[in-house]
């Protein structure tokens, strides 16, 4: 008998949401995000410390025996929804999701020790992998072990590398933990300034081996699947903010002595967007629940969520910019942050087209 998918939020999840939202409302409003983006150093270490350690969000996926919260993907999805609503410049997706899942897949003493530090909020751990790497895609190995765990190679488009204390490096001889100070980082021009990418170069950098090649590749593949599934929740939070803010604006903005939101064309556009956001939430919740329960169809559910939620987030952000009129085109209004995050997320962990291809493969649909 197949277990029923639970799309509803539990009381515990709602309490977690309230805690995260209160923190972000107080410390991560649009003005603060814009100000940090202009400095070129968007990450807020103090905000991350509060979120990761005081609230305990960094250890949600980490078992209690390793110092974590022993929660699961549903709770992590709630955190990502709120982070998406605030376009918060914190390395949650990369460290608390992707890196954590990779380390859990290693199942070694060295990985367990690093997980304890990560769960406590003492270190930020980031995979030295392109954020565009998708589930089901071939895993690259641009870094090679020259002997004794001395690594050489270059990886492009590593998100949040500037915030990392430790980099997880997939090399030809396995997975290694490398101190970020041992690598050379070259910032790249970022579309999404709240999650800046960098090129990471290793020139005979020493690393601690965490897993053999087969185990490492399996761990990375599992992390990409979980990351793609939970990214859908971030996209839902982003889309929800765009919809809510746009409805608020068109209710108060007047033209021809009546609210802009009273025009039928605007009503229809926002009603259609509301339906899309509601459907995206159901898809994202299904993916989080499938990951949490280890459902056999989790890869299909994740692919469906990403194939749908990616486009909804972009459309919601585009509608937000357009329906705000002139103010939506300015740097001072945060709408551009949401559009940039939505566009960047549409490329992260596989494009919508890639995931539609996976859906076709899982459903055994013939190619056109």
């Amino acid at each position: 008998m197949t277990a029923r998918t639970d799309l509803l939020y539990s009381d515990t999840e709602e309490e977690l949401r309230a805690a995260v939202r209160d923190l972000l409302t107080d410390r991560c409003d649009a003005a603060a995000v814009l100000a940090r983006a202009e400095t070129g150093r968007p990450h807020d270490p103090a905000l991350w410390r509060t979120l990761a350690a005081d609230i305990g969000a960094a250890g949600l996926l980490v078992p209690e025996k390793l110092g974590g919260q022993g929660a699961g993907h549903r709770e992590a999805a709630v955190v990502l929804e709120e982070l998406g609503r605030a376009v918060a410049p914190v390395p949650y997706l990369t460290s608390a999701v992707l890196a954590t899942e990779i380390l859990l897949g290693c199942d070694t003493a060295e990985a367990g020790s690093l997980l304890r530090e990560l769960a406590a909020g003492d270190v930020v751990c980031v995979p030295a992998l392109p954020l565009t790497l998708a589930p089901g895609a071939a895993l690259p190995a641009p870094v090679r072990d020259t002997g004794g765990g001395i690594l050489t190679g270059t990886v492009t488009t590593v998100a949040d590398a500037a915030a990392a204390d430790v980099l997880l490096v997939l090399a030809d001889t396995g997975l290694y933990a490398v101190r970020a100070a041992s690598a050379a980082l070259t910032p790249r021009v970022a579309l999404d300034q709240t999650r800046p990418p960098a090129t990471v170069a290793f020139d005979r950098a020493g690393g601690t081996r965490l897993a053999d090649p087969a185990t490492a590749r399996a761990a990375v593949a599992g992390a990409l699947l979980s990351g793609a599934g939970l990214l859908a929740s971030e996209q839902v939070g982003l889309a929800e903010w765009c919809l809510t803010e746009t409805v608020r604006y068109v209710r108060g903005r007047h033209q021809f002595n009546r609210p802009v939101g009273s025009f039928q064309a605007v009503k229809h556009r926002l009603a259609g967007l509301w339906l899309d956001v509601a459907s995206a939430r159901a898809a994202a919740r299904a993916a989080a629940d499938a990951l949490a329960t280890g459902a056999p169809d989790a890869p299909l559910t994740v692919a469906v969520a990403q194939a749908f939620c990616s486009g909804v987030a972009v459309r919601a952000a585009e509608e937000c910019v357009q329906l705000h009129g002139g103010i939506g085109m300015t740097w001072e209004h945060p709408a551009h942050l949401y559009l940039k995050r939505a566009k960047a997320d549409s490329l992260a962990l596989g494009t919508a087209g890639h995931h539609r291809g996976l859906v076709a493969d899982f459903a055994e649909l013939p190619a056109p």
Side-chain angles (χ1 to χ4, degrees), residues 14 41 53 69 79 85 89 100 114-115 126 138 140 151 154 173 211 213 223 235 261 266 286 293 337 355 362:
E14 291 293 3
R41 299 179 62 87
Q69 308 302 319
V79 174
R85 283 176 59 89
T100 297
L114 191 51
L115 275 170
V126 171
L151 307 178
T154 301
T173 57
Q235 291 165 327
V266 175
T293 58
L337 291 175
H355 288 282
F362 291 139

Side-chain angles (χ1 to χ4, degrees), residues 32-325:
V33 175
L34 281 168
R36 294 196 69 87
E38 288 181 337
T39 68
R41 299 179 62 87
H43 294 109
D44 186 343
L47 174 64
W48 172 250
R49 179 70 189 178
T50 303
L51 177 68
D54 298 346
I55 292 180
L60 286 175
L61 297 178
V62 180
E64 291 183 65
K65 66 180 181 180
L66 293 176
Q69 308 302 319
H73 298 85
R74 290 172 58 94
E75 290 79 7
V78 169
V79 174
L80 278 165
E81 277 187 38
E82 294 307 311
L83 295 178
R85 283 176 59 89
V87 287
V90 294
Y92 190 84
L93 178 67
T94 48
S95 182
V97 176
L98 292 173
T100 297
E101 291 278 17
I102 291 174
L103 292 171
L104 288 171
C106 292
D107 195 24
T108 59
E110 293 80 5
S113 177
L114 191 51
L115 275 170
R116 289 184 182 277
E117 295 183 82
L118 190 153
D122 294 335
V123 301
V124 174
C125 193
V126 171
L129 294 167
L131 189 61
T132 53
L133 191 59
L139 299 181
V143 178
R144 59 188 180 88
D145 179 8
T146 59
I150 305 300
L151 307 178
T152 299
T154 301
V155 187
T156 60
T157 326
V158 179
D160 294 329
D165 300 303
V166 177
L167 295 166
L168 298 182
V169 184
L170 182 63
D172 54 352
T173 57
L175 184 74
Y176 293 83
V178 179
R179 302 301 301 184
S182 302
L185 270 60
T186 304
R188 313 307 300 177
V189 176
L191 174 62
D192 176 14
Q193 294 165 298
T194 63
R195 187 178 281 154
T199 295
V200 181
F202 303 95
D203 184 9
R204 297 187 59 79
T208 301
R209 193 166 188 259
L210 302 176
D212 61 73
T215 301
R217 288 180 170 274
V220 170
L224 293 175
L225 178 66
S226 294
L230 294 181
L231 178 62
S233 291
E234 177 180 290
Q235 291 165 327
V236 166
L238 185 156
E240 185 179 48
W241 183 93
C242 291
L243 174 61
T244 301
E245 183 63 20
T246 304
V247 170
R248 184 200 64 77
Y249 179 79
V250 298
R251 280 177 171 173
R253 180 75 168 89
H254 283 67
Q255 285 186 350
F256 308 108
N257 204 32
R258 58 186 292 191
V260 171
S262 67
F263 297 127
Q264 190 175 44
V266 175
K267 288 181 180 179
H268 286 178
R269 286 169 66 172
L270 291 176
L273 184 58
W274 183 89
L275 290 172
D276 283 347
V277 173
S279 299
R281 181 179 299 280
R285 290 299 292 168
D289 188 72
L291 291 169
T293 58
D297 64 348
L300 172 60
T301 308
V302 167
V304 169
Q306 261 307 303
F308 186 70
C309 295
S310 177
V312 171
V314 171
R315 182 184 164 217
E318 290 174 342
E319 291 282 51
C320 181
V321 170
Q322 186 172 19
L323 291 177
H324 271 78

